[in-house]
Amino acid sequence: MALEDPSWKIFFEENPMPIGFHENVNLIKEFCQQAAMKKNRVALVTSGGTTVPLEQNTVRFIDNFSAGTRGSSSAEYFLEAGYQVIFLHRSKSLEPYFRHLVGKNIFEMIEVSPDNVAVGKKHQLELGKLAEKYQRHRCDLLMISFSTLSDYLWLLQATAQQMQILGPLALLYLAAAVSDFYIPASQMPCHKIQSSGGPLSLSLQLVPKMLAPLVTLWAPNAFIVSFKLETNETLLETKSNEALLKYHHHVVIGNLLNSRKVHVVLVDSNSPNAEEIRLSSSDLENGIEIEFKIVENLKIRHDQYYADHKTG
Ligand code: PAZ
């Protein structure tokens, strides 16, 4: 089992915790304690891609693909489903509610007269609905951001550990796109790599698989859902099944880069057959997002898990 491999511990010894780490952990701790007192469910939603810096004073970095659509929309649907949400996201990636405003020109949406500034008539309905949802849910939403792979892993570990207090009320939804390769801090040059040194060859180390300690040590009672991104359709179900067998968590959601907004495959440790979620043309016409269906589906699985694991 991957836990006997100490590489995940070495990772945390070798890569320093992010700036503001203790402040963030305190926020997460308080959020989880209050939710536990109220017996509320909490979903940790991870979102966006991690960066892998090439220099300590970072000018260049390698990035993982993810706009944060999956995470930010899912966070909204978890909130609608009655969960409190810790949104661990890549800084400046899409955020719940605010995502709907991306690409819109705020100055075109407001009307200014000599004695008043107001939302223009044609935007009132849309903005009003959005603002109402945001205001209704903002106290149940804790936003924590990361940029680098190392920041993300430190915060993931700490959040999972703080969520232990929630037992089976906790759900982890790991949609962030996390790099499999990195340069350890000790091997990173301090300053900007100079092009005068000629062509650049990079040697990246493998990132230890953190799902093993996450499932076994950090959040042993939580309901854990991971995502698997592939580009080759023939690998999707096999790779998702392999991840489930290897880490013994609860659900793996497989998706392909090009069809991820309309099709996913869910592999569950409790059922032999994979389940597909596919948006129909009428879903698309009605503006249904696939994350609505994913969260609806997971809520049922989490209900069952909670019924099977709650004590008292
Ligand atoms: O953020 P986004 O909506 O653009 O993309 C979502 C996603 C494809 C990154 C996510 O669904 C996913 O598969 N995350 C896990 C990626 C991985 O295998 O590391």
Side-chain angles (χ1 to χ4, degrees), residues 7-281:
S7 57
W8 67 270
K9 278 193 186 153
I10 298 170
F11 182 93
F12 288 112
E13 281 160 20
E14 291 188 340
N15 293 281
M17 59 183 66
I19 293 165
F21 179 69
H22 294 295
E23 290 79 356
N24 277 327
V25 176
N26 282 338
L27 291 174
I28 296 163
K29 185 175 182 176
E30 204 174 307
F31 191 82
C32 292
Q33 281 175 345
Q34 300 219 351
M37 274 189 323
K38 293 186 236 157
K39 291 206 172 355
N40 280 352
R41 292 181 189 211
V42 177
L44 165 66
V45 175
T46 73
S47 182
T50 60
T51 65
V52 167
L54 303 188
E55 300 126 342
Q56 282 173 36
N57 289 288
T58 308
V59 175
R60 303 185 187 91
F61 55 85
I62 299 172
D63 209 346
N64 255 61
F65 166 85
S66 168
T69 314
R70 177 81 83 222
S72 56
S73 54
S74 302
E76 289 176 20
Y77 295 120
F78 275 116
L79 287 161
E80 287 292 333
Y83 285 76
Q84 291 187 250
V85 171
I86 301 172
F87 187 63
L88 178 56
H89 65 288
R90 164 75 176 275
S91 167
K92 302 194 181 74
S93 67
L94 292 178
E95 295 179 6
Y97 308 110
F98 293 94
R99 74 187 171 107
H100 301 280
L101 301 172
V102 170
K104 297 204 167 136
N105 184 339
I106 190 91
F107 300 117
E108 301 283 357
M109 296 172 106
I110 54 175
E111 281 171 6
V112 185
S113 60
D115 53 0
N116 196 23
V117 176
V119 174
K121 273 227 160 51
K122 64 175 184 213
H123 301 289
Q124 279 180 0
L125 188 66
E126 182 199 353
L127 270 186
K129 274 189 190 166
L130 194 58
E132 184 278 321
K133 277 191 189 166
Y134 170 76
Q135 286 166 9
R136 185 154 42 89
H137 292 302
R138 70 177 156 203
C139 294
D140 292 326
L141 176 62
L142 177 64
M143 308 272 287
I144 304 284
S145 68
F146 64 82
S147 289
T148 69
L149 166 80
S150 162
D151 294 357
Y152 169 77
L153 291 176
W154 272 99
L155 289 163
L156 175 69
Q157 180 191 45
T159 311
Q161 287 170 337
Q162 294 303 330
M163 288 177 87
Q164 274 217 42
I165 191 174
L166 294 150
L169 288 168
L171 179 149
L172 274 61
Y173 182 86
L174 307 173
V178 183
S179 180
D180 286 324
F181 308 100
Y182 80 119
I183 302 177
S186 58
Q187 289 171 30
M188 226 186 278
C190 182
H191 292 293
K192 183 184 165 199
I193 301 166
Q194 295 298 320
S195 59
S196 53
L200 180 63
S201 310
L202 290 175
S203 168
L204 302 175
Q205 305 286 314
L206 272 180
V207 177
K209 297 293 180 198
M210 297 292 179
L211 255 179
L214 178 80
V215 173
T216 320
L217 298 175
W218 307 342
N221 302 310
F223 186 72
I224 301 181
V225 181
S226 70
F227 277 80
K228 186 108 213 115
L229 176 64
E230 292 296 338
T231 53
N232 180 346
E233 191 167 6
T234 58
L235 291 179
L236 188 63
E237 218 175 298
T238 339
K239 284 280 186 181
S240 304
N241 271 310
E242 272 173 22
L244 204 57
L245 282 175
K246 190 163 177 193
Y247 300 113
H248 307 285
H249 54 305
H250 307 101
V251 181
V252 177
I253 304 184
N255 55 170
L256 291 170
L257 186 63
N258 293 329
S259 60
R260 68 191 189 285
K261 296 195 178 186
V262 290
H263 178 229
V264 295
V265 181
L266 282 86
V267 186
D268 185 322
S269 52
N270 281 327
S271 58
N273 299 322
E275 186 178 337
E276 282 191 298
I277 299 180
R278 199 184 287 277
L279 290 189
S280 63
S281 44

